[in-house]
Amino acid sequence: MCGIIGCNGVSAAVPVLTLGLERMEYRGYDSSGIAVIADGKTEITKKKGRVSELINALRFKPQATAAIGIGHTRWATHGEPSDENAHPHQSGKFTLVHNGIIENHTELKEQYLKLTKMKSDTDTEVAVHLLNRFYSDGCLKALAHTARLLEGSFALAVICEEEPEKLFCVRQSSPLVVGLGEGTYAASDTAAISEKIHTLYRMDDGEIAVLEKDKIEFYDFELNKIRKAPEKFEKSSYASDKGNFEHFMLKEIYEQPEAIRRTVDAYLNENGFNLGLKPQKPERIFIVACGSAYHAGLVGRRIFESLAKIPVSVETASEFRYSEPLVSEKTPVIIISQSGETADSLAALREAKKRGAKTLSIINVKESTIATESDFVLLTRAGPEIAVATTKAYGAQLSALYLLGIYFAESFGTADKKELEKMKKALTDLHKSVSAALNCEEQIKEIAHRLRHIDRAYFIGRGAGFAAASEGSLKLKEISYIHCEAYAAGEMKHGTISLIEKDTTVIAMNTQTALAHKLQSNIDEVRSRGARVIAVTSADSKISADETITVPEVHPLFAVSTQIVPVQLLSYHIARLRGCDIDKPRNLAKSVTVE
Ligand code: F6R
């Protein structure tokens, strides 16, 4: 959450910063700002609202020919979204941007800044006043002094009129990379600077970087010099184009088959698996993730337990990290994350490692912190995902879990070999069925039109169908703001069925062919109390409801992958008809880098 960027030694800093902010807007979009030093003076522009409003505001200022600057796009944690709370923040000659949370900001203010009048309600402002207060013998010393005092998570980019040829960066528990190209650059995400750099340095926690126009030096917080290995950075073109689609979300739903094909093909071909992993049958596997990635984990549990006969615990990372988890060297931990930067998932990974567990992460962003710190990484090949609500990355995560499940079963000899061969073939072809599932869009548009005014919905399912229901419910609520709940279908009658009345919308996910008749009973129970039920089902399974959306038949273990498609489309079309900001839903950010 929040994206920071900095550049030095460039011909025009403003466009570099604003382009980078546009690309990192997924990290937060309630306000944004930049600061540049031009002719020895700092110029700050910041605005509540989207980066486009910042760009508008900059139009009315003479475009500074500054070579150095910093920028920020915000997801508010302390202080409401406003011009005053937007970053950069300034004190004396120092200006800074911050991603993270300074947890001891109240104590620091009390101890060092009693007489300082704060201009904002942010935790961040304390840091810039501390820099100003500790400045006596160079910016670097002031920065190290300040960094030693701060607690919590902070990635900082700092400029100072006293040393206008240097950009200072600090990393502690919030992502930050720096790189060299025509000038030097820093960003929360490489996407912001991807075609500017040829050399990348990954900063570690507890490090300071000093970026001059053509070199970067690293220090720890005691100001000992650190030597860091440079990495060659492959320039990438940024997928900022919506093509013919109205929103990134719809484009990404349509890219889902390709994301699945690329993920499967990367690790499975006619010669078998090439995962580069030699698993030993563990006592138990833990799967830990947040949000949709957690829902993918729920599907993973079904796969691992049924194929590889390994007991699996699936936990949300925010609970796992503080639960004194019973993990050890005998219980590997799988972390699932699109961004690879989610703060709770990263903390869970570190907790698991501390307890001696081997860690495997399923990650979409290769350069991310979780990918870097995991013992083994299975990269999903969904490509950059821009819409805040995940679709294609979730689809790719499911495929990665299918790959692992089949591979574990093969390695441990826990499933019939012929059956496993059939599954491999089915997995290789899965993208075709997911692509065919997209054909339901016209039917979905009609349903969306009917449902556009509902104020609540229930998603039900059994087994993996409950996992699919959980994801469907999250998708609809996060982008359309309709209150939704997901329920294990058999649980409804233990309380929640009392909420069903005439015309209540219930969406039933029938992924478990073998349990279709059980789900049918639950559908009948809610229909007889007035609910209007829309069933999502595979072609081979008969279900009777008020309306049925039928997707192609696939191997029963993979049914979530096809059945999630109509639900993603339904969420999209309902949100569109309600006029919601689909790609950037309110209060959310794509990369949740705070607790
Ligand atoms: C929902 C969504 C979120 C993420 C969650 C984890 O559409 O995108 O629930 O799945 O914030 O993010 P990652 O996968 O980046 O760890």
Side-chain angles (χ1 to χ4, degrees):
M1 303 197 144
C2 301
I4 68 172
I5 183 165
C7 62
N8 191 7
V10 299
S11 51
V14 174
V16 172
L17 298 172
T18 50
L19 181 69
L21 292 183
E22 283 181 308
R23 290 180 180 180
M24 286 194 295
E25 205 171 9
Y26 71 86
R27 301 180 73 90
Y29 34 83
D30 57 47
S31 51
S32 60
I34 64 164
V36 294
I37 302 183
D39 303 324
K41 283 266 155 280
T42 308
E43 274 184 39
I44 299 179
T45 313
K46 50 188 196 172
K47 270 272 159 273
K48 179 178 165 188
R50 299 291 160 89
V51 174
S52 55
E53 302 195 28
L54 172 73
I55 293 172
N56 256 340
L58 284 162
R59 283 214 183 98
F60 300 107
K61 291 195 165 188
Q63 288 277 311
T65 52
I68 186 166
I70 54 179
H72 187 269
T73 180
R74 180 167 188 250
W75 186 87
T77 59
H78 294 68
E80 59 167 18
S82 66
D83 289 357
E84 295 71 36
N85 290 336
H87 299 212
H89 293 283
Q90 192 174 35
S91 179
K93 305 211 168 199
F94 284 94
T95 308
L96 69 65
V97 289
H98 165 221
N99 170 29
I101 293 179
I102 298 169
E103 287 169 1
N104 59 340
H105 65 104
T106 313
E107 294 83 343
L108 289 171
K109 185 169 181 313
E110 189 60 26
Q111 194 171 347
Y112 298 100
L113 304 166
K114 260 197 165 133
L115 301 178
T116 307
K117 189 159 166 23
M118 296 284 160
K119 295 187 211 95
S120 75
D121 302 321
T122 64
D123 52 330
T124 303
E125 198 184 336
V126 162
V128 77
H129 290 305
L130 289 178
L131 285 173
N132 195 37
R133 163 146 193 205
F134 297 141
Y135 181 78
S136 62
D137 185 16
C139 295
L140 185 57
K141 281 196 180 154
L143 190 60
H145 190 161
T146 303
R148 286 196 297 271
L149 291 176
L150 302 181
E151 285 171 17
S153 54
F154 45 96
L156 305 173
V158 182
I159 49 177
C160 179
E161 288 171 10
E162 292 291 345
E163 294 177 46
E165 72 296 344
K166 288 181 186 159
L167 165 66
F168 300 90
C169 295
V170 183
R171 175 184 165 142
Q172 180 63 47
S173 301
S174 287
L176 192 62
V177 293
V178 295
L180 275 167
E182 295 275 305
T184 52
Y185 301 83
S188 304
D189 178 348
T190 49
I193 50 175
S194 58
E195 73 279 43
K196 308 271 181 223
I197 58 169
H198 51 66
T199 305
L200 179 79
Y201 295 91
R202 291 166 202 276
M203 288 184 71
D204 291 313
D205 286 348
E207 288 184 354
I208 297 175
V210 182
L211 287 74
E212 294 185 45
K213 71 178 192 319
D214 50 7
K215 68 169 185 189
I216 307 179
E217 289 184 335
F218 298 91
Y219 301 85
D220 64 19
F221 289 177
E222 302 301 328
L223 290 184
N224 300 304
K225 252 194 161 172
I226 299 172
R227 287 175 73 85
K228 288 187 83 70
E231 279 173 44
K232 192 170 173 313
F233 184 76
E234 301 290 340
K235 287 193 190 329
S236 57
S237 57
Y238 181 72
S240 59
D241 185 7
K242 287 193 208 125
N244 293 329
F245 292 92
E246 197 179 334
H247 296 97
F248 278 111
M249 182 176 174
L250 188 61
K251 176 173 177 250
E252 288 162 2
I253 293 173
Y254 273 83
E255 285 172 348
Q256 200 157 215
E258 187 58 9
I260 294 169
R261 188 191 65 72
R262 284 164 41 140
T263 304
V264 173
D265 286 0
Y267 300 105
L268 177 65
N269 59 32
E270 61 280 10
N271 302 320
F273 288 102
N274 56 354
L275 280 153
L277 175 73
K278 294 233 170 315
Q280 287 183 340
K281 196 167 180 190
E283 274 179 8
R284 171 174 289 276
I285 291 179
F286 283 82
I287 301 179
V288 185
C290 301
S292 296
Y294 167 76
H295 297 150
L298 294 176
V299 180
R301 172 166 68 198
R302 303 280 157 189
I303 305 288
F304 292 177
E305 290 187 343
S306 69
L307 289 180
K309 313 291 178 213
I310 311 167
V312 178
S313 301
V314 192
E315 295 197 31
T316 54
S318 54
E319 289 298 316
F320 177 89
R321 61 184 291 192
Y322 296 117
S323 65
E324 309 240 337
L326 296 175
V327 300
S328 69
E329 64 285 358
K330 295 188 184 143
T331 56
V333 175
I334 297 179
I335 306 281
I336 309 173
S337 173
Q338 186 284 127
S339 62
E341 300 292 354
T342 303
D344 283 321
S345 303
L346 176 59
L349 172 89
R350 290 177 177 164
E351 183 64 33
K353 288 181 90 168
K354 201 169 89 193
R355 289 169 185 263
K358 280 269 170 271
T359 53
L360 183 160
S361 60
I362 296 175
I363 302 287
N364 197 43
V365 181
K366 191 171 155 213
E367 297 84 13
S368 64
T369 313
I370 297 180
T372 312
E373 293 190 15
S374 301
D375 296 312
F376 182 85
V377 184
L378 199 161
L379 279 179
T380 48
R381 311 292 164 117
E385 193 177 57
I386 313 293
V388 164
T390 183
T391 51
K392 63 172 179 170
Y394 167 80
Q397 287 164 352
L398 291 181
S399 310
L401 289 159
Y402 303 151
L403 281 162
L404 280 178
I406 302 172
Y407 183 59
F408 288 161
E410 194 172 271
S411 310
F412 309 147
T414 46
D416 179 69
K417 280 195 180 141
K418 272 201 193 133
E419 190 50 34
L420 288 177
E421 286 311 313
K422 263 202 236 156
M423 278 180 207
K424 284 194 221 167
K425 168 83 181 76
L427 183 52
T428 314
D429 288 340
L430 179 62
H431 66 98
K432 295 180 195 158
S433 309
V434 173
S435 181
L438 290 162
N439 292 335
C440 66
E441 193 177 359
E442 285 312 311
Q443 181 190 5
I444 296 288
K445 280 184 188 166
E446 280 171 30
I447 301 175
H449 196 260
R450 280 203 309 277
L451 298 188
R452 67 193 187 285
H453 296 309
I454 58 170
D455 60 357
R456 65 197 164 114
Y458 296 88
F459 285 75
I460 59 171
R462 286 176 172 264
F466 170 57
S470 305
E471 175 57 10
S473 163
L474 178 63
K475 215 76 308 157
L476 182 56
K477 83 177 87 163
E478 71 180 323
I479 61 167
S480 72
Y481 318 139
I482 294 169
H483 179 249
C484 303
E485 258 192 83
Y487 248 79
E491 271 292 296
M492 286 292 279
K493 58 180 148 315
H494 297 288
T496 305
I497 202 164
S498 67
L499 293 171
I500 301 292
E501 52 192 8
K502 189 171 170 331
D503 291 336
T504 306
T505 300
V506 175
I507 297 169
M509 310 293 294
N510 178 37
T511 65
Q512 305 296 103
T513 318
L515 295 177
H517 59 295
K518 298 283 176 199
L519 181 65
Q520 184 67 61
S521 306
N522 304 131
I523 291 174
D524 295 343
E525 282 157 14
V526 290
R527 281 183 85 192
S528 59
R529 283 156 182 88
R532 285 192 61 79
V533 179
I534 298 165
V536 182
T537 187
S538 300
D540 57 331
S541 188
K542 292 263 167 300
I543 279 281
S544 149
D546 294 285
E547 180 142 15
T548 308
I549 304 165
T550 307
V551 295
E553 183 185 335
V554 285
H555 189 289
L557 279 181
F558 309 146
V560 175
S561 294
T562 44
Q563 292 192 21
I564 203 65
V565 171
V567 181
Q568 292 169 339
L569 286 169
L570 184 64
S571 307
Y572 171 80
H573 282 292
I574 292 178
R576 187 177 165 279
L577 291 170
R578 289 164 78 96
C580 299
D581 192 347
I582 293 179
D583 286 337
K584 296 192 180 87
R586 69 185 180 205
N587 304 341
L588 295 177
K590 188 141 188 82
S591 183
V592 186
T593 55
V594 295
E595 244 193 281

